[in-house]
Amino acid sequence: MKKQGLQWVFSILGGLILLFVLGPVLGLMFSSSPHKLFETAQDPEVKNSIMLTLSTSMAGTLLFAVAAIPFSWILARYQFPLKKLVTAIIDLPVVIPHSAAGIAVLGFISRDTWLGKASSMAGFNFVGHPAGIMLAMAFVSLPYLINAARDGFLSVPERLEKAALTLGASPVRVFFTVSLPLAWKNILSGLILMFARGMSEFGAVVIIAYHPMITPVLIYERFTSFGLKYAQPVSVLFILVVLVFFMILRLLLSNTKKS
Amino acid sequence: MLKLTGINKDFKGFMLSDISFTVEKGDYFILLGPSGAGKSLLLEVIAGLAISDSGSLELNGRDITHMPIQKRKVGLVFQDHAIFPHLKVKSNLAYALHGQPRESIHQKIKAMSANLGIGELLERYPSTLSGGELQRVALARTLIQEPEILLLDEPLASMDTRLRSGTRSLLRQIHRGGQTIIHVTHDYEEALSLGNRIAVMDHGNILQTGTPDEVFHSPRNGFVAHFIGIRNFFPATIRLYDGIPWAETSRNLKIRVQQGQDNESGFVMIRGEDIVLSASALDSSASNVLAGRVQEITATPLGCDVCIECGETIHALITRESVERMKLDEGSEIWLSIKATAVKFIDE
């Protein structure tokens, strides 16, 4: 009897939490009429911001994946001095306040730094540029990819890699034909997390680039300039777009799991 | 020919110490030892998965001590097979043939899979295969690259009896094809049934190397004798009576031995099949005639093991027909005859 009572209390607490998450989102969903949503979807400013958000986050994810995935393999396979410190550095962006992260990244890429000077010579400036937005997004979202990929490589038995070596494969070939395919589930889920986290970033991005506007910045601007009623339809639209992407990627993931 | 010279390897506190032996081309070489003896680590050193701290490895004239794994031409079949789970059997077999013409890959897979009886499995994923099938795939995948030496890590462990005998004949067949093999096992019967050369290992050391006959008939020390299944093995001290050496065991059983120095201590060893049992004392050339009582009779693949108390507990190995003819049973009074030449004294 006592145990049942406890289950009831815990279930009610759980229900409250679900309500806390779902309530505002559902409230938001029903805040705007379909007509209003349709109208917002036609707004070039909104369309451009959504395209920009998706493309910068995707570009950042893919670009950084090239280095992050092999790095994760190193983290999974080798012991080296200061490894704990390295792991802590990777997790740093998760705990830094995101506006502070934006300030940090800005200090790294602004005009008077070597990176800023190099980009000026290439004819653009990171600040106020999609490339800068991409860097800010990647800075805060990279830990999700690295940690997921590292877990993925850890789950691949090292013996399979060794077996591949004894079959005459070079270490590079072993990485691409054994380690990577077998860790792919975790890596894909890390890519999804990094992409999603990048898209939803506001604090770091707004410091690097107010313009061009990614959707989270646009929502903020509509709210501060025009009020809640104007921010709601953009928010709903953005959430819907993100959900569609999310579902597509989740579907891909579940297919990979089956095979 | 594979030649190991003075291999030392410290692996997390476990030491392989001064390992030296030679495996000739066409040998079926058995590394025999209990678990934890360092056999698998030694295989890893030969394959290149672990690098020795000192010493050298030479394979058919090439120094492979520091050569990368993938260039050694050493094939290793892991105990758990290590088949790639994300590739079909066919792609597993093709893995080692990367870069060869498509037609040649196709031909080799066809020939190898027919040879090992896995032709039906080529389109299957490893998760759908049985343990025995996985083993054949693992062997095929390694053999297809035509390794100069084939390393097998406990290939018959965790197999049921029927599967084991099938795999044994498969391994014999591979060996008859001219393949040089090093086979790691803890089972002396396996060693006897397959190997033409045996090295006994314990605690990271090679204790003895030789033909099965040499190792099983002249074990160099107590561990080897005990490990290869000789059960009549007693600590003893030599006493000379009228110049004739007798070994006195700790329980005061006196056994006539062929040679030995007075007060020399060591072990007495008698192979079970060298003991003759009879209903009455035999008048024969055997110098040791002992009275005893049967304690237990156990059937083994090699015959019946008759355990007799005669001052020491001695195991005699005789055929089942003999047990039935002599109507032996627990408690039967019996005589043992052992020739002094069959009693081996090994000094410490």
Side-chain angles (χ1 to χ4, degrees), chain B residues 261-277:
Chain B
Q261 308 289 325
D262 200 16
N263 281 327
E264 202 173 11
S265 64
F267 297 92
V268 166
M269 193 190 84
I270 308 158
R271 290 154 35 99
E273 47 271 55
D274 288 339
I275 298 170
V276 175
L277 299 183

Side-chain angles (χ1 to χ4, degrees), chain B residues 223-290:
Chain B
F223 175 82
V224 176
H226 182 74
F227 189 72
I228 60 184
I230 294 173
R231 304 178 68 181
N232 301 316
F233 202 78
F234 314 106
T237 310
I238 298 288
R239 307 271 181 233
L240 293 184
Y241 296 101
D242 300 330
I244 294 169
W246 291 77
E248 231 177 74
T249 70
S250 51
R251 287 173 62 192
N252 290 324
L253 179 68
K254 290 187 184 62
I255 302 170
R256 168 84 162 81
V257 293
Q258 207 180 7
Q259 50 192 336
Q261 308 289 325
D262 200 16
N263 281 327
E264 202 173 11
S265 64
F267 297 92
V268 166
M269 193 190 84
I270 308 158
R271 290 154 35 99
E273 47 271 55
D274 288 339
I275 298 170
V276 175
L277 299 183
S278 54
S280 55
L282 281 186
D283 182 15
S284 72
S285 63
S287 330
N288 294 291
V289 182
L290 309 166

Side-chain angles (χ1 to χ4, degrees), chain B residues 164-308:
Chain B
R164 190 170 297 182
S165 79
T167 309
R168 270 188 198 175
S169 52
L170 175 63
L171 293 176
R172 278 196 205 100
Q173 174 201 326
I174 291 167
H175 178 231
R176 271 199 303 273
Q179 180 69 53
T180 312
I181 297 176
I182 298 183
H183 171 141
V184 157
T185 179
H186 62 270
D187 180 347
Y188 73 94
E189 280 184 41
E190 197 173 309
L192 263 184
S193 94
L194 287 167
N196 71 331
R197 302 244 312 143
I198 294 175
V200 183
M201 253 190 114
D202 192 36
H203 291 116
N205 292 289
I206 298 277
L207 302 177
Q208 184 170 4
T209 313
T211 63
D213 197 47
E214 283 162 0
V215 173
F216 282 81
H217 288 99
S218 321
R220 195 171 289 164
N221 65 24
F223 175 82
V224 176
H226 182 74
F227 189 72
I228 60 184
I230 294 173
R231 304 178 68 181
N232 301 316
F233 202 78
F234 314 106
T237 310
I238 298 288
R239 307 271 181 233
L240 293 184
Y241 296 101
D242 300 330
I244 294 169
W246 291 77
E248 231 177 74
T249 70
S250 51
R251 287 173 62 192
N252 290 324
L253 179 68
K254 290 187 184 62
I255 302 170
R256 168 84 162 81
V257 293
Q258 207 180 7
Q259 50 192 336
Q261 308 289 325
D262 200 16
N263 281 327
E264 202 173 11
S265 64
F267 297 92
V268 166
M269 193 190 84
I270 308 158
R271 290 154 35 99
E273 47 271 55
D274 288 339
I275 298 170
V276 175
L277 299 183
S278 54
S280 55
L282 281 186
D283 182 15
S284 72
S285 63
S287 330
N288 294 291
V289 182
L290 309 166
R293 183 188 293 272
V294 175
Q295 289 197 314
E296 196 181 5
I297 301 171
T298 320
T300 75
L302 306 169
C304 282
D305 178 288
V306 184
C307 170
I308 303 148

Side-chain angles (χ1 to χ4, degrees), chain B residues 85-152:
Chain B
H86 59 302
L87 299 177
K88 283 181 182 176
V89 169
K90 195 158 114 188
S91 308
N92 263 284
L93 296 192
Y95 195 86
L97 304 176
H98 181 69
Q100 298 187 13
R102 189 175 293 256
E103 188 49 34
S104 139
I105 293 178
H106 179 73
Q107 288 303 331
K108 281 183 182 174
I109 290 179
K110 204 171 148 191
M112 184 57 71
S113 56
N115 214 354
L116 294 200
I118 52 170
E120 306 294 308
L121 310 176
L122 292 178
E123 296 300 329
R124 305 242 308 253
Y125 275 99
S127 58
T128 66
L129 303 183
S130 71
E133 289 170 337
L134 282 173
Q135 173 118 50
R136 280 168 184 265
V137 173
L139 274 168
R141 186 181 67 171
T142 303
L143 287 171
I144 208 165
Q145 59 176 334
E146 295 164 9
E148 292 183 6
I149 192 159
L150 174 65
L151 310 180
L152 306 170

Side-chain angles (χ1 to χ4, degrees), chain A residues 159-160 165-166 169 171 173 177, chain B residues 70 80 84 86 95 98 145:
Chain A
R159 259 182 355 282
L160 292 179
L165 286 169
T166 67
R173 185 166 167 243
T177 56
Chain B
Q70 67 271 22
D80 64 352
F84 306 130
H86 59 302
Y95 195 86
H98 181 69
Q145 59 176 334

